[in-house]
Amino acid sequence: MQQKKGVAILGSTGSIGTQALEVIEAYPDFFDLQVITAQSNAQLLIEQAKKFQPNAVVIVDDTLYSTVKEALSSEDIHVYAGKEALCQVVEFNEVHVVLTALVGYAGLKPTLAAIDAGKDIALANKETLVVAGEIVTQRAREKGINIYPVDSEHSAIFQCLVGEFHNPIEKIYLTASGGPFRGWTTQQLETVTKAQALKHPNWTMGAKITIDSASLMNKGLEVIEAKWLFNLKPEQIDVIVHPQSIVHSLVQFTDGSMKAQMGLPDMKLPIQFALTYPDRFTTDFPRFNFMDYPQLTFEQADRTTFRNLDLAYEAMNRGGTAACALNASNEIAVQLFLEEKIGFLDIARTNEWVMNEASFIQKPSYEDYVAIDAMSREIAFTKHS
Ligand code: NDP
Ligand code: MG
């Protein structure tokens, strides 16, 4: 019998993590869940551990270690705490693929640890590639491991490239829903509330990415993610707003032919494909019906009102640590917006400010990224204190 695929899910209690568990549950003969982790949602982590019986769990917030340890005392499950443990559990022999479903810069170190240990990566945590795409992709190449995209747009591009990996890409188009504020003016955006920004029209996701989608930062991060995943130049990556979120992205080849990947918006599909590639497993996910969508529409993104998209292109063109600074600033700005300490438009204002104020290193080492991340967070906080 074929060996089962050992999976570690970093961030199993989140939006991607819980959907990944549904995928794993559907194919018990194929997957062997080895590791699950959470930041602080101990209750859900305990529940998941009892149900799935992984080899190990990590609770990053170490004040919750005894809660998790006691709850799982009668189970044959190792319990670890602290962020360093994330880097250790990905190295276990039984782990073949690491799904990075945690949010933000915190994903960088464990992703590098997994690559160094020779594990394939199913990458949801786009911030890792935004911050340090050069180091991450270079190490993956050296180790001969694959990074399978989970992000729906990048999964779409990847699916279009299957059978075409030897053919050069002329251009890619990343589709964007436009978020809840598509068509809004700067004046309208000035008074946007947290509740309004947390209502995405097409996708249910974690809080950070939902705000990023509303501010178009998410699309900016995805442009940088695409550059690293598919080895593209900035001018080869375009964004097109497609409010129905049915066409998940497109590739244009050098003969002018374009391929698109389509389907109803459901993250379980790209999660599953990242874990089962090159195979497609049969699902009972709802199917697309053309009559429900008599029109698929496309329009330009409003980059003047939604500054973050241009800031991401600027960071990508500058290279070095520019995107690391932008990402750090954005993580702080989103946090402050969610705490209702700054307004919606202050997110992009903060990001622009930090990108200009933070030091810049053209050829950074890992330690340089760590330093620029910390400095940029500090600058973003100081601007608002
Ligand atoms: P959620 O906020 O829903 O979940 C995040 C997960 O990571 C939770 O398990 C959380 O634990 C854990 N976590 C949070 N902070 C840390 C930290 N500092 N260290 C370790 N673990 C942490 O996020 P999503 O699932 O929405 O997104 C995860 C990643 O996937 C993001 O990078 C996002 O951009 C990307 N992505 C998400 C999509 C989606 O549909 N949700 C689509 C495409 C990409 P706890 O529950 O305890 O807080
Ligand atoms: Mg996406």
Side-chain angles (χ1 to χ4, degrees):
M1 202 183 108
Q2 194 195 1
Q3 194 193 10
K4 287 192 198 178
K5 190 178 260 192
V7 183
I9 304 180
L10 305 184
S12 63
T13 51
S15 163
I16 293 288
T18 50
Q19 294 180 85
L21 286 176
E22 287 179 45
V23 168
I24 284 175
E25 192 178 8
Y27 307 101
D29 295 339
F30 185 78
F31 294 118
D32 181 12
L33 185 66
Q34 286 290 326
V35 175
I36 53 176
T37 81
Q39 164 73 23
S40 55
N41 191 344
Q43 285 322 314
L44 184 54
L45 185 70
I46 292 163
E47 216 175 279
Q48 292 177 339
K50 285 186 172 166
K51 178 170 174 186
F52 287 91
Q53 295 289 317
N55 180 17
V57 305
V58 178
I59 182 83
V60 174
D61 178 348
D62 50 19
T63 63
L64 294 164
Y65 172 74
S66 51
T67 310
V68 179
K69 180 80 184 157
E70 272 163 37
L72 298 179
S73 59
S74 59
E75 316 281 342
D76 186 16
I77 299 173
H78 300 280
V79 179
Y80 304 95
K83 59 182 177 188
E84 285 306 317
L86 294 178
C87 300
Q88 286 148 16
V89 290
V90 295
E91 294 177 353
F92 291 164
N93 280 339
E94 300 77 10
V95 171
H96 302 122
V97 60
V98 176
L99 171 62
T100 62
L102 67 183
V103 63
Y105 170 85
L108 176 59
K109 207 170 173 197
T111 305
L112 285 173
I115 292 172
D116 288 343
K119 313 298 184 186
D120 279 336
I121 306 292
L123 185 130
N125 176 238
K126 65 191 86 186
E127 293 91 343
T128 282
L129 285 186
V130 172
V131 171
E134 187 150 21
I135 290 188
V136 172
T137 50
Q138 187 186 329
R139 285 217 201 155
R141 267 195 305 277
E142 282 164 12
K143 278 282 171 184
I145 66 104
N146 298 308
I147 301 179
Y148 299 109
V150 169
D151 213 345
S152 59
E153 297 77 2
H154 305 72
S155 174
I157 301 288
F158 182 64
Q159 292 180 58
C160 293
L161 291 176
V162 173
E164 304 264 16
F165 291 118
H166 62 293
N167 284 324
I169 297 171
E170 186 168 87
K171 194 169 182 173
I172 65 168
Y173 290 91
L174 297 178
T175 52
S177 71
F181 307 132
R182 185 173 60 89
W184 287 35
T185 62
T186 303
Q187 203 189 354
Q188 285 173 301
L189 291 174
E190 208 66 76
T191 53
V192 151
T193 65
K194 169 180 161 181
Q196 285 173 304
L198 281 173
K199 268 206 190 87
H200 194 277
N202 302 343
W203 302 92
T204 310
M205 310 178 285
K208 197 246 172 193
I209 183 175
T210 306
I211 300 303
D212 285 346
S213 299
S215 73
L216 286 203
M217 187 74 261
N218 183 51
K219 211 47 57 181
L221 300 178
E222 291 185 353
V223 166
I224 303 174
E225 180 186 14
K227 169 191 157 65
W228 293 115
L229 278 173
F230 305 113
N231 194 19
L232 299 171
K233 296 194 178 71
E235 57 273 20
Q236 289 177 289
I237 309 168
D238 217 335
V239 168
I240 190 85
V241 173
H242 166 48
Q244 297 83 18
S245 294
I246 296 296
V247 176
H248 297 308
S249 279
L250 309 91
V251 181
Q252 181 176 307
F253 293 95
T254 50
D255 59 357
S257 173
M258 297 173 90
K259 275 180 158 182
Q261 189 264 337
M262 295 172 57
L264 291 172
D266 182 349
M267 282 309 296
K268 286 212 288 293
L269 198 144
I271 293 169
Q272 176 168 313
F273 193 65
L275 295 174
T276 65
Y277 173 84
D279 299 319
R280 291 187 183 275
F281 286 10
T282 304
T283 75
D284 57 5
F285 303 160
R287 296 326 196 223
F288 175 75
N289 180 348
F290 279 92
M291 296 312 119
D292 293 338
Y293 294 87
Q295 280 194 321
L296 297 179
T297 60
F298 301 90
E299 59 192 67
Q300 286 298 334
D302 177 356
R303 296 175 178 216
T304 316
T305 311
F306 297 89
R307 284 280 297 132
N308 279 330
L309 185 53
D310 269 357
L311 291 177
Y313 270 96
E314 199 179 312
M316 181 168 56
N317 282 316
R318 277 162 76 176
T321 52
C324 172
L326 172 62
N327 176 74
S329 167
N330 186 61
E331 288 191 23
I332 298 300
V334 169
Q335 183 194 323
L336 292 174
F337 174 72
L338 287 171
E339 291 168 1
E340 301 183 307
K341 292 184 177 145
I342 64 173
F344 184 72
L345 289 177
D346 293 328
I347 299 174
R349 289 185 191 122
T350 306
N351 293 345
E352 186 159 13
W353 168 264
V354 173
M355 263 179 70
N356 291 330
E357 293 295 310
S359 304
F360 175 74
I361 301 167
Q362 188 71 60
K363 283 261 162 235
S365 64
Y366 172 76
E367 290 69 28
D368 291 331
Y369 285 119
V370 175
I372 296 293
D373 174 78
M375 171 196 287
S376 306
R377 283 166 196 269
E378 188 64 36
I379 297 171
F381 262 128
T382 314
K383 183 171 164 59
H384 297 293
S385 56

